[in-house]
Amino acid sequence: MSRAASSKPLRNVVDYDLLFDCVHCGLCLEACPTYAVSRSEMDSPRGRVYLMKALADGRLELDADVTRHLDLCLGCRGCETACPSGVHYGRLIEDARAYVESNYSRGWLDSLRRRLIGAIFPYPARLRAILAPLRVLQAAGVQSALEGIVPRPMREWLELLPAASRASVVLPQALTEPSPDATTVLVHHGCVTRVLAESENINTERLLIAAGYHVVQLENTVCCGALDLHSGNRTRALEFIRTNVRAITRRGADSIVSAASGCSTAIAEYGLLLKDDAELAVAARAVAAKVTDLSSLLLASNRVAMPEFRCTVTYHDACHLAHGMGVRDAPRTLLRSIPGLKLVELNEADLCCGSAGSYNLTEPAMARALAARKAENIAASGADYVVLANPGCEFQIGAELRRRGAKIRVAHIADFLAMVINQGTAARGESR
Ligand code: SF4
Ligand code: SF4
């Protein structure tokens, strides 16, 4: 549907024309996690598109209620893949978030929490420094005691912290050199992943090397900008993005992957985000076009022989990989290629687990409701492992499974494949 020529927005909330793509059919509602939990129209994609248009038209003021409904959106983009009308919901909500942050005064506690997240998470050195005392308490085995005495919001943050020992399984470094004509893959190490799930970066690189790719890294990795884009801090997001475009272009690569699918999707949108940048628009488009994912590259090379591993696995679709990049089949095909492994489909596999970047830190109640729903579906699958392709999902689902005392293990696909290969190598060694 095209916008009437006389219609002009009163306020610059979002790209106004995009709002007219929504035909209010409601087909996105059941794909929306917040609607699935609340059953409230204003917590659905259609309701939020209505709110954005009413704000832009000046029919609605940006008050606490409107902000609440927009804040509660996970930015998961489940609505985009469900929408038959091609509504660019991800772009709309990112613009609306930037509008909220510039035009709405949050309460002091909410502001403080958001400022802390923004000041710490994109900077690995700061995050490491903040976590250092907690790591000492973890090592001393008193984290649970601490969780028992701190206020509830802090306890929920603590519960999300993965064990320091989670990173213990890494593939040994391959000794073979890639062939001179090997495809060069740049692995973007991200910011939070480097601190909390470095094994995912290492295993991603080593799997790619084992598959025959020439793997390169950036000299200095900065945040991809996703955290700021999702929280409405567009100015700093664009600074990070420009730094990344320059660094990636300088480094040169045929393909770009990240262990965090939120980072991959953000990089895949650099072309769009810098389309009006006189200096970097062309380079940003070139960078964006190179983004792919680990599973697709491993399948394309078909050079990593997977040993037998007898277990039942279910696969959780990380939102940005499934809805943002459209990657659903490749990880499943890769898992099915492991002899002895039985892959069972997860009910609501592509419904957000509530992690969504820093959402589980700012919206803990909705995040917990979604984690609980995910954990129940995982339990019903009867699997031994739930495999996924995003560190945030690992922390969120892992915390919920620990709270429930569930035995099922959660693993990033790079760590899972590394574990399978290592066990196969160990078994071969024993049988000699
Ligand atoms: S992005 Fe996710 S939470 Fe937000 S409206 Fe769309 S489906 Fe719902
Ligand atoms: S499915 Fe698309 S067109 Fe239909 S209500 Fe949802 S966003 Fe609008």
Side-chain angles (χ1 to χ4, degrees):
M1 193 188 286
S2 64
R3 162 161 85 91
S6 59
S7 171
K8 273 206 169 81
L10 191 72
R11 303 178 186 131
N12 188 19
V13 179
V14 293
D15 185 339
Y16 193 61
D17 284 343
L18 293 182
L19 294 169
F20 290 82
D21 290 336
C22 177
V23 295
H24 315 295
C25 64
L27 289 173
C28 53
L29 266 61
E30 294 302 329
C32 173
T34 56
Y35 181 78
V37 170
S38 72
R39 308 313 284 183
S40 147
E41 173 72 15
M42 287 306 145
D43 291 327
S44 79
R46 180 172 65 185
R48 291 184 179 115
V49 168
Y50 173 84
L51 291 176
M52 291 174 206
K53 182 146 190 315
L55 278 175
D57 290 340
R59 288 180 286 114
L60 202 62
E61 290 309 313
L62 182 62
D63 59 13
D65 239 22
V66 176
T67 303
R68 190 80 207 102
H69 293 303
L70 295 175
D71 279 353
L72 217 50
C73 171
L74 296 130
C76 68
R77 298 169 64 169
C79 46
E80 271 193 26
T81 43
C83 174
S85 187
V87 172
H88 294 281
Y89 187 85
R91 283 169 64 190
L92 288 171
I93 192 66
E94 282 175 7
D95 286 353
R97 291 241 153 96
Y99 179 80
V100 168
E101 293 318 307
S102 312
N103 293 280
Y104 181 70
S105 244
R106 295 183 181 277
W108 72 269
L109 189 58
D110 194 17
S111 286
L112 178 67
R113 186 164 44 194
R114 287 168 190 270
R115 273 170 203 238
L116 278 175
I117 292 167
I120 296 168
F121 281 74
Y123 302 99
R126 295 181 195 174
L127 184 55
R128 271 194 201 97
I130 296 283
L131 292 180
L134 289 174
R135 289 298 192 204
V136 172
L137 294 174
Q138 259 184 346
V142 293
Q143 182 177 344
S144 329
L146 183 68
E147 286 170 3
I149 54 172
V150 295
R152 188 171 168 188
M154 205 174 280
R155 185 177 73 230
E156 290 185 338
W157 282 32
L158 283 174
E159 285 172 352
L160 288 167
L161 185 65
S165 60
R166 68 157 295 291
S168 56
V169 179
V170 290
L171 271 182
Q173 181 84 58
L175 297 174
T176 49
E177 284 290 314
S179 67
D181 59 346
T183 302
T184 302
V185 183
L186 186 145
V187 178
H188 192 284
H189 278 215
C191 42
V192 175
T193 313
R194 256 189 292 167
V195 179
L196 293 178
E198 180 65 345
S199 65
E200 295 173 9
N201 284 328
I202 297 171
N203 285 325
T204 296
E205 290 188 342
R206 293 186 179 177
L207 285 161
L208 289 169
I209 292 167
Y213 293 100
H214 177 217
V215 172
V216 294
Q217 290 176 11
L218 295 176
E219 267 173 42
N220 292 307
T221 303
V222 301
C223 174
C224 65
L227 275 171
D228 282 334
L229 284 173
H230 299 164
S231 55
N233 189 356
R234 184 167 286 259
T235 306
R236 193 176 63 176
L238 291 177
E239 284 170 22
F240 281 137
I241 290 168
R242 288 192 181 96
T243 304
N244 272 302
V245 170
R246 290 192 185 98
I248 294 171
T249 307
R250 244 189 342 265
R251 189 68 191 79
D254 303 308
S255 300
I256 302 165
V257 301
S258 168
S261 52
C263 303
S264 306
T265 308
I267 300 171
E269 295 192 341
Y270 281 3
L272 199 59
L273 291 159
L274 293 187
K275 70 178 178 354
D276 298 323
D277 188 301
E279 180 203 344
L280 294 172
V282 174
R285 268 203 307 279
V287 165
K290 291 174 180 174
V291 176
T292 181
D293 74 292
L294 172 67
S295 301
S296 301
L297 285 174
L298 294 180
L299 284 177
S301 97
N302 195 24
R303 279 178 55 177
V304 181
M306 298 304 298
E308 183 177 80
F309 192 77
R310 296 207 163 271
C311 69
T312 304
V313 169
T314 194
Y315 179 76
H316 157 75
D317 287 284
C319 297
H320 283 90
L321 195 62
H323 303 303
M325 292 175 59
V327 177
R328 294 167 187 266
D329 293 342
R332 289 176 167 84
T333 306
L334 198 56
L335 290 168
R336 276 196 205 98
S337 75
I338 299 172
L341 185 148
K342 182 178 169 208
L343 182 68
V344 291
E345 261 314 310
L346 178 63
N347 186 34
E348 299 183 337
D350 66 353
L351 195 81
C352 184
C353 63
S355 168
S358 54
Y359 185 95
N360 49 4
L361 305 179
T362 55
E363 298 293 344
M366 179 59 80
R368 277 291 300 274
L370 290 168
R373 191 173 174 125
K374 185 62 69 180
E376 278 155 24
N377 279 320
I378 291 169
S381 76
D384 309 306
Y385 289 87
V386 54
V387 174
L388 35 79
N390 187 51
C393 307
E394 182 197 320
F395 308 152
Q396 170 80 350
I397 293 172
E400 186 62 26
L401 293 175
R402 281 196 298 279
R403 278 184 208 112
R404 290 162 181 252
K407 294 278 177 281
I408 185 164
R409 281 156 287 182
V410 53
H412 188 279
I413 191 159
D415 290 349
F416 181 79
L417 296 176
M419 178 193 70
V420 170
I421 293 170
N422 282 351
Q423 291 201 11
T425 309
R428 275 201 309 278
E430 277 166 20
S431 68
R432 275 195 196 119

